[in-house]
Amino acid sequence: MKKRGKQQGNPNPYRRMTMLNGYTLPRTPWHYAGNVLAVEYETDPKKASAFLPQGLSLLSGQCAVYFIEWQYAGDTGKDYLDPVCSQYRETILLLSAQYQDKPMAYCPFIWVDQDKALMRGLIQGWPKQMGETWITRSYDLPSKAAPGNGSGAMLGAALSVGGRRQAEAVVTLEMETASLPSPTFAGSALVRYFPNLVQGRHDCPAVHELVQLKSRDVKISPVWKGKASLTIHEHPYNELYDLKPVSVLSGYKFTVALTVDDLVHLCDFTLP
Amino acid sequence: MKKRGKQQGNPNPYRRMTMLNGYTLPRTPWHYAGNVLAVEYETDPKKASAFLPQGLSLLSGQCAVYFIEWQYAGDTGKDYLDPVCSQYRETILLLSAQYQDKPMAYCPFIWVDQDKALMRGLIQGWPKQMGETWITRSYDLPSKAAPGNGSGAMLGAALSVGGRRQAEAVVTLEMETASLPSPTFAGSALVRYFPNLVQGRHDCPAVHELVQLKSRDVKISPVWKGKASLTIHEHPYNELYDLKPVSVLSGYKFTVALTVDDLVHLCDFTLP
Amino acid sequence: MKKRGKQQGNPNPYRRMTMLNGYTLPRTPWHYAGNVLAVEYETDPKKASAFLPQGLSLLSGQCAVYFIEWQYAGDTGKDYLDPVCSQYRETILLLSAQYQDKPMAYCPFIWVDQDKALMRGLIQGWPKQMGETWITRSYDLPSKAAPGNGSGAMLGAALSVGGRRQAEAVVTLEMETASLPSPTFAGSALVRYFPNLVQGRHDCPAVHELVQLKSRDVKISPVWKGKASLTIHEHPYNELYDLKPVSVLSGYKFTVALTVDDLVHLCDFTLP
Amino acid sequence: MKKRGKQQGNPNPYRRMTMLNGYTLPRTPWHYAGNVLAVEYETDPKKASAFLPQGLSLLSGQCAVYFIEWQYAGDTGKDYLDPVCSQYRETILLLSAQYQDKPMAYCPFIWVDQDKALMRGLIQGWPKQMGETWITRSYDLPSKAAPGNGSGAMLGAALSVGGRRQAEAVVTLEMETASLPSPTFAGSALVRYFPNLVQGRHDCPAVHELVQLKSRDVKISPVWKGKASLTIHEHPYNELYDLKPVSVLSGYKFTVALTVDDLVHLCDFTLP
């Protein structure tokens, strides 16, 4: 995890260009592959609406929560050969929003378990915090220790934050389906924000803008769908409980691969 | 992780039988499924020999180190639906030993990242300590973020103990093979040991016996074999470095499922 | 964390005596120092009674829960110079039991966050599991970031197990006191247990005995006492919730140092 | 850890003002108390110089590394009563730089173990990554398990990143001193940076400025000074090893409390 640091045009003879591979400057695209367990559900639309930033309005109370085991790599090397540096687990919550009549997922909460994933997300506008995600694995052998890969297989997932269980889900696979859970995370609207910390200027952020994630080369495995349960637990501080299910729709299991190397600006809230 | 506690024959009316499901009493068999990356190598036989307990002699300097992502369940329920309780990662080192002219692997070092796995191992005689194992994952989609599943795929693995990198390996798959790495962990010789802590009696352990692990219902996926590298790092306390490679033979990738519910006694060292 | 392994009298010329420093053979005494936050409370005596092993009966429903930041060292070296190896945090729950009319604490649950502490405890009979303990710290400077060390200072503590919050307490210091919380952990009754894993012999443990912990050189700082709150959360598996408070008595803050190098045998349950 | 989200002037009736307590908007000052073990040393000035950003030049090769156990709280509540949310451990490396002939520490590397600390640092310009810091503790009782608080006491500290030991130090206290280690972290120069992620604009960061940390209400305990050793280990990726000691000067132990609620802008690198 190298940092910016060496700036172009700087005459300092000691500055090595190898310092430029900072994770904060993803000039190199990032490639991801992940195993996903997801649950679609309905939440209270009044409460969901309260989580939306300026520029977005709520399309419906339909949410999706994704539990994912990711592995990633940059363009030039086999980062995944040192897996402590290239694997992380993530829980993403998405709301059904719209921007100027265009449906667009919005992420009010997201948890990862690795700092590079946290940072790379934060500069894109994902409001990442640290949390622990656990997902049942299927194995390519019959065993009482694992669900199978097809109809009837049951898989669980859980999120803990700061030693408190926040959410847990169980999905029972029923059939293959042609459709992904909705809302989906490719193309999410995100808020990029960087505050001003000078006294008296805390209300004038240096960056405050609505952007849209751009993914490319998205590949999806066969998608399994089925019944699901989802519990969101009360928590003394965070508001995830406001987005608890009023009804659970479906569960999904699939694998996804994609590349991220661009963003679309939607609007800049720092302009007068 | 429930404990012994409620003893049979105890007349206490408040004792609930639900307390009897202790993990230390595996009357219920344990089922395991795991993804394995392994490396066979040669170490210095003089040094390897020094790690053997009474009753075993060294067959050769060939060792195997296994990096495994496990999931397990008991017989009666779907433990794996709460994966925080049923997944762990493990690094196992095995030496090529023999007991009365019968080849038998012996495990001088093993690290896991979960307490139930630690305890269940310790009562079987696995000398388990806590450590973090990381293994590159293959995904069922083409992606720059992951190796494929076949020839040319490169996978890494690493072990850290107490914040120190202990071992790291890279395996490049070349071809399917009919044979597993050797030595293999099913049928390992283990030392069960429980000390006496009364002063003056520390040299008279309550339990000290050589046993052999019994596995059943072992299932193995197709096995991929290829080239490998393995580095074992120096460490201020532990002696894993004594078992470093003098040459590396081969790397392997496969999935295994098995059930453990029995042990074979070989000899009792507490007898005069 | 070295293991038994090298046995006396073994003629193998490669066996080094340096291998004998196993943590499972504490011939060297262990010295401990810890900062303690504790809460005395009353639980339902019927439920508490159900947790007692053979040989003990319940004296009263009074319990104490201890949250402790430990540091330890052996006799011969400054283990604490590598603090990753010599620090751990612990939550201990104690019941008020008696053995043959002699009051004696009994520990149904204890959680630590380090494997050496887990192992050293297990061979003594502490039913240790892994869990995360957090305790508010006092600092020797006035700051809004910390409670003071005297009257009015408020300190919190919490236990999480497997990503689930299990217990949390707040103590408000009021005055110094001459007495420790009761029951106290020095002199606890413990059950040492090592199972038989051969099929058909699971009910005939190799070791099953009631012992009493012996501590020596116990030193206690001034003890602060005050009001306390304690919450024990429901949990899908473990029975800690059975021992929840029906009333909370007092909170305590103090520092303790002690040495452990002996055990007293009380009774052997493996005898006919 | 709450996020921005509710924006002023937004007419949405569902938006609660409780959402405004985001950690990214520290309108409420942050108060810190920490126990510090520090080592002053000399590194190769050519290598150190290469880590400096625009605007700063190297004053000398003198560095200081700080290992700190922090606890923090906001202005309005006793955050420290839930210590999982208000404690973290940190390793800070500082170089001796100058800005326009004014001496000013610069931080090329800093590691913390908690996400709120990471985020709060990143918006100030601290290049925080996740890492594990361990520090020997003194206790207020004589014990072989702990060094004392005065002359002759030996304390260790260590940093691990991603399961690799990065740095370790031992300090032997000799005498009280009137001076802090140099460079010191109050008043450090920092680079605030927020990238542009739109393709083709990666070289035009949205925020790129040199700032200076402002601390107030700084309180320091008596400072102990003595001999020290420091080892920085090689690492396959990060450049901390470039800043390894060529000679070690002194070690320090003290406690600090301070409040941070302001920043000073030094220069803006985004201006043409």
Side-chain angles (χ1 to χ4, degrees), chain C residues 67-84:
Chain C
F67 305 93
I68 314 180
E69 285 201 299
W70 289 114
Q71 189 169 273
Y72 68 83
D75 220 12
T76 54
K78 293 202 163 56
D79 311 53
Y80 54 72
L81 295 183
D82 192 13
V84 70

mmCIF file of all heavy atoms in Angstrom, chain C residues 67-84:
data_model
loop_
_atom_site.group_PDB
_atom_site.id
_atom_site.type_symbol
_atom_site.label_atom_id
_atom_site.label_comp_id
_atom_site.label_asym_id
_atom_site.label_seq_id
_atom_site.Cartn_x
_atom_site.Cartn_y
_atom_site.Cartn_z
ATOM 1 N N PHE C 67 -13.035 -8.319 33.876
ATOM 2 C CA PHE C 67 -12.458 -7.966 32.575
ATOM 3 C C PHE C 67 -11.018 -7.526 32.859
ATOM 4 O O PHE C 67 -10.808 -6.601 33.653
ATOM 5 C CB PHE C 67 -13.238 -6.825 31.934
ATOM 6 C CG PHE C 67 -14.713 -7.095 31.785
ATOM 7 C CD1 PHE C 67 -15.622 -6.692 32.761
ATOM 8 C CD2 PHE C 67 -15.207 -7.758 30.673
ATOM 9 C CE1 PHE C 67 -16.986 -6.932 32.632
ATOM 10 C CE2 PHE C 67 -16.577 -8.015 30.528
ATOM 11 C CZ PHE C 67 -17.468 -7.596 31.515
ATOM 12 N N ILE C 68 -10.038 -8.167 32.223
ATOM 13 C CA ILE C 68 -8.643 -7.965 32.626
ATOM 14 C C ILE C 68 -7.723 -7.791 31.418
ATOM 15 O O ILE C 68 -7.827 -8.535 30.439
ATOM 16 C CB ILE C 68 -8.129 -9.165 33.461
ATOM 17 C CG1 ILE C 68 -9.154 -9.563 34.539
ATOM 18 C CG2 ILE C 68 -6.778 -8.832 34.099
ATOM 19 C CD1 ILE C 68 -8.725 -10.726 35.406
ATOM 20 N N GLU C 69 -6.826 -6.796 31.518
ATOM 21 C CA GLU C 69 -5.720 -6.669 30.552
ATOM 22 C C GLU C 69 -4.454 -7.230 31.197
ATOM 23 O O GLU C 69 -3.846 -6.577 32.046
ATOM 24 C CB GLU C 69 -5.493 -5.208 30.164
ATOM 25 C CG GLU C 69 -6.525 -4.656 29.211
ATOM 26 C CD GLU C 69 -6.033 -3.428 28.463
ATOM 27 O OE1 GLU C 69 -5.713 -2.412 29.129
ATOM 28 O OE2 GLU C 69 -5.984 -3.457 27.231
ATOM 29 N N TRP C 70 -4.037 -8.412 30.768
ATOM 30 C CA TRP C 70 -2.908 -9.112 31.362
ATOM 31 C C TRP C 70 -1.610 -8.887 30.593
ATOM 32 O O TRP C 70 -1.618 -8.742 29.375
ATOM 33 C CB TRP C 70 -3.138 -10.625 31.340
ATOM 34 C CG TRP C 70 -4.161 -11.188 32.260
ATOM 35 C CD1 TRP C 70 -5.336 -11.792 31.906
ATOM 36 C CD2 TRP C 70 -4.090 -11.261 33.695
ATOM 37 N NE1 TRP C 70 -5.997 -12.232 33.032
ATOM 38 C CE2 TRP C 70 -5.260 -11.918 34.146
ATOM 39 C CE3 TRP C 70 -3.163 -10.840 34.638
ATOM 40 C CZ2 TRP C 70 -5.525 -12.166 35.484
ATOM 41 C CZ3 TRP C 70 -3.422 -11.076 35.975
ATOM 42 C CH2 TRP C 70 -4.593 -11.731 36.388
ATOM 43 N N GLN C 71 -0.529 -9.008 31.336
ATOM 44 C CA GLN C 71 0.803 -9.192 30.751
ATOM 45 C C GLN C 71 1.469 -10.275 31.585
ATOM 46 O O GLN C 71 1.290 -10.310 32.806
ATOM 47 C CB GLN C 71 1.573 -7.885 30.809
ATOM 48 C CG GLN C 71 2.882 -7.887 30.042
ATOM 49 C CD GLN C 71 3.456 -6.475 29.935
ATOM 50 O OE1 GLN C 71 3.136 -5.725 29.033
ATOM 51 N NE2 GLN C 71 4.278 -6.103 30.878
ATOM 52 N N TYR C 72 2.228 -11.156 30.949
ATOM 53 C CA TYR C 72 2.845 -12.232 31.721
ATOM 54 C C TYR C 72 4.278 -12.481 31.268
ATOM 55 O O TYR C 72 4.693 -12.042 30.194
ATOM 56 C CB TYR C 72 2.026 -13.519 31.628
ATOM 57 C CG TYR C 72 2.010 -14.150 30.278
ATOM 58 C CD1 TYR C 72 3.042 -14.975 29.846
ATOM 59 C CD2 TYR C 72 0.956 -13.928 29.399
ATOM 60 C CE1 TYR C 72 3.033 -15.552 28.594
ATOM 61 C CE2 TYR C 72 0.936 -14.500 28.151
ATOM 62 C CZ TYR C 72 1.984 -15.313 27.753
ATOM 63 O OH TYR C 72 1.966 -15.882 26.504
ATOM 64 N N ALA C 73 4.996 -13.212 32.086
ATOM 65 C CA ALA C 73 6.363 -13.607 31.754
ATOM 66 C C ALA C 73 6.696 -14.873 32.514
ATOM 67 O O ALA C 73 6.123 -15.153 33.568
ATOM 68 C CB ALA C 73 7.352 -12.509 32.132
ATOM 69 N N GLY C 74 7.620 -15.628 31.967
ATOM 70 C CA GLY C 74 8.177 -16.771 32.675
ATOM 71 C C GLY C 74 9.242 -16.300 33.649
ATOM 72 O O GLY C 74 9.445 -15.101 33.851
ATOM 73 N N ASP C 75 9.931 -17.258 34.226
ATOM 74 C CA ASP C 75 10.849 -16.929 35.305
ATOM 75 C C ASP C 75 12.194 -16.443 34.795
ATOM 76 O O ASP C 75 12.895 -15.691 35.470
ATOM 77 C CB ASP C 75 11.089 -18.200 36.132
ATOM 78 C CG ASP C 75 11.125 -17.892 37.616
ATOM 79 O OD1 ASP C 75 10.746 -16.773 37.992
ATOM 80 O OD2 ASP C 75 11.504 -18.787 38.373
ATOM 81 N N THR C 76 12.529 -16.841 33.603
ATOM 82 C CA THR C 76 13.926 -16.705 33.201
ATOM 83 C C THR C 76 14.186 -15.552 32.241
ATOM 84 O O THR C 76 15.345 -15.198 32.032
ATOM 85 C CB THR C 76 14.382 -17.996 32.509
ATOM 86 O OG1 THR C 76 13.451 -18.257 31.452
ATOM 87 C CG2 THR C 76 14.383 -19.154 33.483
ATOM 88 N N GLY C 77 13.152 -14.945 31.657
ATOM 89 C CA GLY C 77 13.450 -13.933 30.642
ATOM 90 C C GLY C 77 12.414 -12.848 30.619
ATOM 91 O O GLY C 77 11.412 -12.900 31.321
ATOM 92 N N LYS C 78 12.652 -11.844 29.825
ATOM 93 C CA LYS C 78 11.773 -10.693 29.739
ATOM 94 C C LYS C 78 10.806 -10.893 28.575
ATOM 95 O O LYS C 78 10.801 -10.120 27.620
ATOM 96 C CB LYS C 78 12.600 -9.428 29.579
ATOM 97 C CG LYS C 78 13.439 -9.104 30.825
ATOM 98 C CD LYS C 78 13.818 -7.639 30.877
ATOM 99 C CE LYS C 78 14.261 -7.217 32.252
ATOM 100 N NZ LYS C 78 15.360 -8.000 32.804
ATOM 101 N N ASP C 79 9.972 -11.909 28.686
ATOM 102 C CA ASP C 79 8.993 -12.194 27.623
ATOM 103 C C ASP C 79 8.235 -10.940 27.212
ATOM 104 O O ASP C 79 7.814 -10.802 26.070
ATOM 105 C CB ASP C 79 7.954 -13.223 28.086
ATOM 106 C CG ASP C 79 8.533 -14.452 28.734
ATOM 107 O OD1 ASP C 79 9.329 -14.317 29.684
ATOM 108 O OD2 ASP C 79 8.169 -15.549 28.311
ATOM 109 N N TYR C 80 8.048 -10.041 28.171
ATOM 110 C CA TYR C 80 7.190 -8.886 27.878
ATOM 111 C C TYR C 80 7.841 -7.894 26.920
ATOM 112 O O TYR C 80 7.199 -6.945 26.495
ATOM 113 C CB TYR C 80 6.746 -8.192 29.175
ATOM 114 C CG TYR C 80 7.854 -7.780 30.107
ATOM 115 C CD1 TYR C 80 8.702 -6.717 29.805
ATOM 116 C CD2 TYR C 80 8.045 -8.449 31.313
ATOM 117 C CE1 TYR C 80 9.715 -6.342 30.666
ATOM 118 C CE2 TYR C 80 9.054 -8.084 32.187
ATOM 119 C CZ TYR C 80 9.885 -7.021 31.855
ATOM 120 O OH TYR C 80 10.878 -6.647 32.705
ATOM 121 N N LEU C 81 9.119 -8.128 26.567
ATOM 122 C CA LEU C 81 9.746 -7.245 25.568
ATOM 123 C C LEU C 81 9.221 -7.514 24.162
ATOM 124 O O LEU C 81 9.412 -6.706 23.261
ATOM 125 C CB LEU C 81 11.270 -7.390 25.612
ATOM 126 C CG LEU C 81 11.903 -6.917 26.918
ATOM 127 C CD1 LEU C 81 13.419 -7.027 26.836
ATOM 128 C CD2 LEU C 81 11.493 -5.478 27.227
ATOM 129 N N ASP C 82 8.575 -8.657 23.945
ATOM 130 C CA ASP C 82 7.875 -8.920 22.680
ATOM 131 C C ASP C 82 6.393 -9.028 23.031
ATOM 132 O O ASP C 82 5.845 -10.113 23.160
ATOM 133 C CB ASP C 82 8.393 -10.212 22.042
ATOM 134 C CG ASP C 82 7.916 -10.373 20.609
ATOM 135 O OD1 ASP C 82 7.401 -9.394 20.038
ATOM 136 O OD2 ASP C 82 8.057 -11.478 20.056
ATOM 137 N N PRO C 83 5.744 -7.881 23.201
ATOM 138 C CA PRO C 83 4.407 -7.908 23.839
ATOM 139 C C PRO C 83 3.361 -8.692 23.059
ATOM 140 O O PRO C 83 2.369 -9.112 23.648
ATOM 141 C CB PRO C 83 4.048 -6.428 23.977
ATOM 142 C CG PRO C 83 5.011 -5.667 23.125
ATOM 143 C CD PRO C 83 6.229 -6.513 22.965
ATOM 144 N N VAL C 84 3.546 -8.906 21.763
ATOM 145 C CA VAL C 84 2.569 -9.722 21.039
ATOM 146 C C VAL C 84 2.501 -11.121 21.645
ATOM 147 O O VAL C 84 1.484 -11.812 21.540
ATOM 148 C CB VAL C 84 2.889 -9.786 19.526
ATOM 149 C CG1 VAL C 84 4.125 -10.606 19.232
ATOM 150 C CG2 VAL C 84 1.711 -10.332 18.741
#
